[in-house]
Amino acid sequence: KAGVTQTPRYLIKTRGQQVTLSCSPISGHRSVSWYQQTPGQGLQFLFEYFSETQRNKGNFPGRFSGRQFSNSRSEMNVSTLELGDSALYLCASREQGANTEAFFGQGTRLTVV
Amino acid sequence: TQLLEQSPQFLSIQEGENLTVYCNSSSVFSSLQWYRQEPGEGPVLLVTVVTGGEVKKLKRLTFQFGDARKDSSLHITAAQPGDTGLYLCAGARNYGQNFVFGPGTRLSVLP
């Protein structure tokens, strides 16, 4: 089975722009979670999608949004980028529930200048 | 304030040494996981513990879940350079809730 694929791997954007990141989960996995990882804050949960519905949400502003398609692929969007949004964005795929094993992608490194 | 604290934050040791890293919280968790993350990669699950007092072994790694399910430790015997990475613990307070991650312990094993 192919692993979790995140695209792009690296991205540089300017403040005020918006960005869309993509995650293709492992085949058969219906749950996709997104995390932001920074040196100062560590790994923080953004949101989880299951069967095209947002099931859990972390404490991030409304500029961060996501969606999941019928094939379980997920996208997350960040609008009006700020310098502090620079981070590694990780996607994790699970078969079903939140307590099952999470398989992470390699992440998208976003730099906001 | 982090829900999960990990210590030490950084650890640099020589190959062959033993080490223990800790994950602590004031909250009770229904389950706790340990991950290892290498540079340029996403975290990889090492173990899940669910029962207070549980001990699990994975080759040279020994994981323990505290009796009160508020803390956990990871002990590595005879560390090797391949053990280098960021060790993250993650806890779920209730079944079905997403795991919350600690800040991690960055381990460097020198040859």
Side-chain angles (χ1 to χ4, degrees):
Chain A
K1 269 185 181 178
V4 179
T5 304
Q6 290 190 246
T7 56
R9 288 291 310 276
Y10 303 93
L11 205 47
I12 299 175
K13 288 286 189 178
T14 307
R15 271 183 303 175
Q17 287 187 311
Q18 67 93 28
V19 67
T20 299
L21 312 181
S22 179
C23 172
S24 293
I26 291 171
S27 177
H29 286 196
R30 295 161 65 189
S31 165
V32 173
S33 298
W34 288 90
Y35 297 83
Q36 181 196 67
Q37 187 174 33
T38 59
Q41 298 296 318
L43 239 162
Q44 294 192 293
F45 172 69
L46 281 154
F47 28 66
E48 181 205 3
Y49 286 87
F50 185 86
S51 294
E52 302 179 65
T53 302
Q54 188 180 87
R55 187 158 69 172
N56 285 302
K57 189 176 187 305
N59 295 322
F60 276 81
R63 299 185 297 106
F64 292 81
S65 63
R67 59 178 174 167
Q68 187 179 34
F69 302 96
S70 57
N71 62 357
S72 292
R73 190 178 72 84
S74 177
E75 289 181 347
M76 67 161 279
N77 183 278
V78 188
S79 62
T80 320
L81 283 165
E82 300 176 1
L83 295 179
D85 296 333
S86 295
L88 180 67
Y89 289 88
L90 289 160
C91 152
S93 122
R94 292 180 173 87
E95 275 195 51
Q96 301 238 15
N99 281 75
T100 54
E101 180 176 356
F103 294 85
F104 283 85
Q106 291 181 299
T108 294
R109 168 101 31 215
L110 172 65
T111 302
V112 182
V113 297
Chain B
T1 304
Q2 294 269 2
L3 185 61
L4 280 165
E5 302 288 342
Q6 289 189 247
S7 60
Q9 190 177 358
F10 299 97
L11 186 58
S12 182
I13 61 171
Q14 293 294 135
E15 182 175 2
E17 291 183 5
N18 301 332
L19 67 113
T20 303
V21 298
Y22 301 92
C23 174
N24 297 289
S25 177
S26 57
S27 298
V28 175
F29 292 99
S30 64
S31 61
L32 194 139
Q33 296 178 330
W34 283 93
Y35 290 80
R36 178 170 67 219
Q37 184 177 18
E38 298 182 20
E41 302 291 330
V44 175
L45 180 67
L46 297 173
V47 76
T48 301
V49 286
V50 297
T51 306
E54 183 176 3
V55 176
K56 281 192 174 179
K57 294 196 175 199
L58 185 67
K59 295 183 182 176
R60 293 177 295 101
L61 279 59
T62 302
F63 304 86
Q64 184 160 10
F65 201 12
D67 290 341
R69 290 184 289 126
K70 292 183 179 181
D71 54 84
S72 181
S73 63
L74 158 59
H75 181 81
I76 301 179
T77 303
Q80 298 176 1
D83 296 328
T84 293
L86 178 68
Y87 287 81
L88 296 157
C89 68
R93 294 175 70 176
N94 295 297
Y95 183 82
Q97 284 191 335
N98 274 80
F99 282 84
V100 175
F101 283 80
T105 292
R106 192 165 294 280
L107 172 65
S108 177
V109 182
L110 307 173

